[in-house]
């Protein structure tokens, strides 16, 4: 079975080759403008709906949803084929609504502080699975308009490069989200960053830096061994030159590990070299990592020091903490998360 959103316009035309053109338009508008399943497109004859139902069905099966932050954050847990699960988080802000989507089930990059990394890698998501997360979030956001998409859920987008780029193009063209409203977050895979620079896309790129010297960064982000900071800065500059957009550096603030004044000074040097903006996020606690996030006051001091050193820094508030929904970092402190429960249930079957 294929996700209805796996097919691009040409593939849909081929599937419906026997149908008059206006029928194909009807199906396309139903799927992409209205976010309907083929069986819900009431303007289609029943026979055509049945025909479509036989070859297309949703890839994401809802396991559970949780709301928090006065209903401004909605986390959805989806079951996927291959007995795996992913999470999608919809966040409403006064001026925008953002969905945080997953690009892989699990992740192979092994960052120790990350709940997804601790759980290991299952598989790459398909283009349809990625698009479906956006379509369902757009439906759930109503009557608000889904305005932004960030690839900051589970997985490393650049380890699933071709599908993520194809999905990104289709999020822009077929779902009508502005390219500048899409952000891909990468752990910093340099060959893919260089490729991304040549994609001719206005999409934003966030690089998860977390440490500004190779020794510390390698302990936090093991792929730093093959993707060292010096080359990372060069790649970030290439992205800025080719796309016209500065990259941002993500910095999860870890108490006593990367939140000292010396860290801010090192970071400032690198951020200036890359002309990057810095996003500070206090680390979310995860059961598999001993260290906790920096206290709020330290986060503010760190931001102020960066500012003094001529670097633009923003403090990002963690969203959905009480439902473990900080974008892919979803493990509970004391209880298994829905992902773990679903996995247990699947194993018990
Ligand atoms: N794999 C990509 C995108 C998914 S992770 C990447 O690493 O960039 C999205 C962001 O969440 C990354 O910046 C990541 O470093 C950060 N992150 C991971 N675990 C976290 C935690 N426990 N607390 C805060 N941020 C975390
Ligand atoms: Fe993977 Fe990103 Fe988590 Fe690292 S932080 S393990 S790259 S999802």
């Amino acid at each position: 079975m294929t996700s209805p959103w796996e097919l691009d316009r040409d593939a849909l035309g081929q599937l419906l080759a026997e149908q008059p053109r206006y029928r194909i338009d009807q199906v396309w508008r139903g799927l992409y403008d209205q976010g309907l399943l083929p069986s819900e497109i009431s303007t289609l004859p029943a026979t055509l709906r049945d025909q479509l139902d036989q070859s297309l069905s949703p890839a994401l099966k809802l396991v559970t949803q949780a709301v928090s932050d006065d209903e401004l954050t909605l986390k959805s847990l989806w079951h996927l084929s291959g007995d795996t699960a992913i999470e999608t988080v919809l966040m409403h802000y006064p001026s925008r609504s953002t969905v945080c989507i997953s690009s892989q089930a699990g992740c192979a990059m092994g960052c120790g502080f990350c709940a997804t990394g601790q759980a290991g890698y299952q598989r790459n998501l398909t283009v349809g699975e990625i698009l479906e997360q956006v379509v369902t979030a757009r439906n759930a956001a109503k009557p608000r308009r889904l305005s932004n998409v960030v690839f900051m859920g589970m997985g490393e987008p650049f380890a699933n490069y071709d599908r993520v780029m194809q999905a990104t193009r289709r999020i822009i063209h077929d779902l009508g989200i502005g390219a500048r409203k899409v952000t891909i977050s990468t752990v910093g895979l340099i060959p893919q960053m260089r490729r991304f620079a040549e994609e001719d896309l206005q999409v934003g790129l966030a690089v998860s830096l977390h440490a500004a010297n190779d020794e510390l960064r390698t302990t936090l982000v093991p792929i730093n061994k093959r993707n060292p900071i010096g080359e990372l800065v060069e790649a970030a500059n290439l992205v800025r030159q080719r796309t016209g957009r500065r990259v941002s550096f993500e910095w999860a603030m870890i108490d006593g590990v990367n939140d000292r004044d010396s860290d801010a000074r090192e970071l400032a040097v690198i951020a200036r070299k890359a002309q990057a903006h810095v996003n500070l996020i206090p680390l979310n606690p995860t059961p598999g990592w001993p260290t906790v996030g920096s206290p709020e006051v330290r986060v503010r001091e760190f931001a102020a020091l960066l500012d003094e050193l001529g670097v633009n820094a923003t403090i990002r508030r963690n969203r959905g903490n009480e439902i473990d929904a900080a974008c892919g970092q979803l493990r509970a402190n004391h209880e298994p998360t829905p992902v773990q429960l679903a996995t247990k249930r699947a194993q018990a079957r």
Side-chain angles (χ1 to χ4, degrees), residues 103-104 106-120 152-157 185-189 208 210 220-223 327-329:
S103 56
Q104 300 182 306
C107 182
M109 300 295 128
C111 309
F113 56 86
C114 166
T116 308
Q118 289 159 13
M152 292 187 184
M154 299 168 106
E156 167 50 36
S185 177
T186 178
V187 69
L189 302 180
S208 300
H210 306 316
L220 298 174
V221 179
I223 61 91
C327 274
Q329 319 317 322

Side-chain angles (χ1 to χ4, degrees), residues 266-279:
E266 277 179 350
L267 168 57
V269 173
I270 303 228
R272 282 197 307 256
K273 262 194 207 152
Q275 295 187 32
H277 179 99
V278 173
N279 284 318

Side-chain angles (χ1 to χ4, degrees), residues 192-242:
Q192 287 91 327
M193 282 174 69
R194 295 183 169 279
R195 251 179 100 183
F196 175 80
E198 308 303 333
E199 293 279 355
D200 200 19
L201 277 174
Q202 287 277 296
V203 166
L205 186 68
V207 177
S208 300
L209 192 64
H210 306 316
N213 70 70
D214 283 319
E215 197 188 341
L216 177 59
R217 188 162 191 265
T218 301
T219 67
L220 298 174
V221 179
I223 61 91
N224 186 69
K225 244 180 258 157
R226 279 170 291 118
N227 298 267
I229 293 171
E231 288 175 37
L232 195 65
V233 169
E234 277 175 31
N237 270 322
L238 186 70
V239 169
R240 180 174 50 75
Q241 283 151 13
R242 308 293 292 171

